[in-house]
Amino acid sequence: MGAMSVRTQSSEEPAESVHRAGFACFVGRPNAGKSTLTNALVGQKVAITSNRPQTTRHTVRGIVHRAGAQLILVDTPGLHKPRTLLGERLNDVVRATWAEVDVIGFCLPANEKLGPGDRFIAKELAGIRKTPKVAIITKTDLVDSKTLAEQLIAVDRLGEELGITWAEIVPVSATANKQVDLLAELLVPLLPEGPALYPEGDLTDEPEQVMVAELIREAALEGVRDELPHSIAVVVEEMLPREDRPADKPLLDIHANVFIERPSQKGIIIGPKGKRLKDVGIKSRKQIEALLGTPVFLDLHVKVAKDWQRDPKQLRRLGF
Ligand SMILES: Nc1nc2c(ncn2[C@@H]2O[C@H](COP(=O)(O)OP(=O)(O)OP(=O)(O)O)[C@@H](O)[C@H]2O)c(=O)[nH]1
Ligand SMILES: [Mg+2]
């Protein structure tokens, strides 16, 4: 009966006249490729990425504009067993997001066998009955077709075992741009009918100050190991146009603090003769200039915020 009424409606009303708009969130283990996929769908970098787990620390919205549809992607932090107060907060953020979105995209990397981490998330997803779920096999460029086929079967089985009906199972590669457009096409019909929610051309609702801080953190994450990636937080204190500049030669002064947790980490971030910090500045400044479309003077300072990941007061100060 349901199918009948849908058919009747669509024959009376051509598909193009229906506008859809809504939210899809990407969930998955840390490092599954959620942010990279978000950026690929949006067509511009709105979320930072790295090969360190737990890169994303807050939900980032990326907006995908299509004829007749607006798809708002909510990129969430990777879900994991929390070891710190920060970890717990991140997991809370992810769960709160699930309740609000129209469709959930569960990201599973093609190059790693399904593990306890994926199962843990899938079990939670099974509990959210009414929201359609799409399984997204990411990083398909890293595997051969046999491995991919096995992964597709494993994901299908996982759904059956836990009572999840996948609306779709879609293999994609965000870095090789394979099936990324197809994924958008498959997500759109799962959105409710409605007018656009963001102005045409907006790609994110992240404040500029936050995006700038994230680009600095992304540059700072490169090449650091062990616990250090988790210890880094960046806060932009000030962004001001330099005074006395001619109109055709503007310069934006940006002052930012790079926080770490222990004095012993300071040397690693700054590097011998300050070289590492300088590189972080050069690298992120280029990205910030591209983002804002203006020359930038970037002033970076390294500060210790003792054990901030575990300290509620510090967390608040750092924006968590
Ligand atoms: N080869 C390949 N690598 C990818 C692809 N997508 C992501 N990666 C890499 O996988 C790593 C993790 O990507 P992210 O997008 O930061 O992963 P995430 O799921 O957002 O991670 P968290 O924010 O930590 O939860 C990065 O080094 C990416 O470059 C892909 O399609 N192919
Ligand atoms: Mg991420």
Side-chain angles (χ1 to χ4, degrees):
M1 211 173 81
M4 275 296 287
S5 68
V6 168
R7 220 165 274 150
T8 317
Q9 203 177 26
S10 63
S11 65
E12 282 166 2
E13 225 179 313
E16 307 92 68
S17 71
V18 177
H19 191 277
R20 292 184 186 277
F23 295 83
C25 84
F26 289 150
V27 298
R29 278 188 290 121
N31 228 23
K34 302 175 291 298
S35 299
T36 308
L37 184 57
T38 300
N39 293 338
L41 281 158
V42 172
Q44 191 184 296
K45 180 142 114 191
V46 292
I48 65 162
T49 64
S50 86
N51 59 1
R52 321 304 322 174
Q54 286 178 54
T55 300
T56 305
R57 286 182 182 158
H58 62 283
T59 56
V60 180
R61 288 198 186 136
I63 304 156
V64 183
H65 302 267
R66 288 284 186 279
Q70 194 172 71
L71 169 66
I72 298 129
L73 300 170
V74 187
D75 176 27
T76 63
L79 204 69
H80 59 285
K81 268 222 170 75
R83 280 179 300 152
T84 61
L85 188 57
L86 173 68
E88 280 174 38
R89 295 257 168 104
L90 296 188
N91 284 0
D92 290 347
V93 164
V94 177
R95 291 204 182 81
T97 306
W98 294 356
E100 295 167 359
V101 295
D102 302 298
V103 46
I104 294 171
F106 181 22
C107 295
L108 301 135
N111 61 329
E112 288 170 45
K113 283 229 152 70
L114 298 189
D118 302 307
R119 206 162 272 276
F120 166 72
I121 298 171
K123 272 188 193 145
E124 299 225 6
L125 290 181
I128 311 166
R129 296 241 151 235
K130 56 179 198 305
T131 313
K133 295 159 202 81
V134 173
I136 304 167
I137 316 298
T138 58
K139 312 190 188 184
T140 55
D141 57 291
L142 295 178
V143 298
D144 57 24
S145 54
K146 182 167 168 281
T147 312
L148 178 58
E150 282 164 6
Q151 189 74 327
L152 289 167
I153 292 166
V155 170
D156 188 44
R157 289 223 179 102
L158 180 70
E160 258 171 40
E161 184 192 319
L162 298 174
I164 304 173
T165 312
W166 305 118
E168 309 277 354
I169 302 180
V170 197
V172 301
S173 167
T175 54
N177 197 17
K178 289 252 164 67
Q179 305 233 106
V180 172
D181 281 334
L182 173 70
L183 175 62
E185 277 166 34
L186 294 172
L187 289 173
V188 164
L190 300 170
L191 303 177
E193 288 182 24
L197 300 166
Y198 287 92
E200 182 92 20
D202 277 18
L203 299 181
T204 181
D205 63 355
E206 286 265 284
E208 275 180 357
Q209 204 133 330
V210 174
M211 293 201 41
V212 167
E214 287 287 87
L215 289 172
I216 297 167
R217 189 162 64 88
E218 181 178 58
L221 282 175
E222 204 159 285
V224 297
R225 286 176 300 130
D226 307 323
E227 284 304 298
L228 194 51
H230 303 286
S231 295
I232 300 172
V234 178
V235 176
V236 169
E237 301 291 343
E238 204 173 58
M239 287 179 35
L240 279 177
R242 175 89 51 99
E243 282 175 27
D244 308 326
R245 294 286 291 198
D248 60 337
K249 280 201 168 153
L251 185 67
L252 186 69
D253 277 308
I254 300 181
H255 300 277
N257 287 326
V258 178
F259 289 98
I260 31 115
E261 296 198 282
R262 287 182 290 282
S264 61
Q265 296 172 327
K266 217 167 170 169
I268 307 172
I269 286 290
I270 294 173
K273 295 195 179 134
K275 181 163 187 324
R276 226 192 140 260
L277 187 65
K278 199 172 162 209
D279 287 347
V280 168
I282 292 169
K283 195 153 182 243
S284 56
R285 181 169 53 78
K286 283 194 193 127
Q287 299 253 355
I288 296 165
E289 288 178 336
L291 172 78
L292 303 177
T294 178
V296 161
F297 178 82
L298 181 61
D299 179 37
L300 289 181
H301 289 269
V302 178
K303 292 196 171 167
V304 178
K306 201 169 172 304
D307 290 329
W308 65 263
Q309 288 188 77
R310 295 163 203 281
D311 179 349
K313 238 195 238 149
Q314 301 265 31
L315 280 175
R316 210 171 310 129
R317 189 172 138 221
L318 296 173
F320 294 102

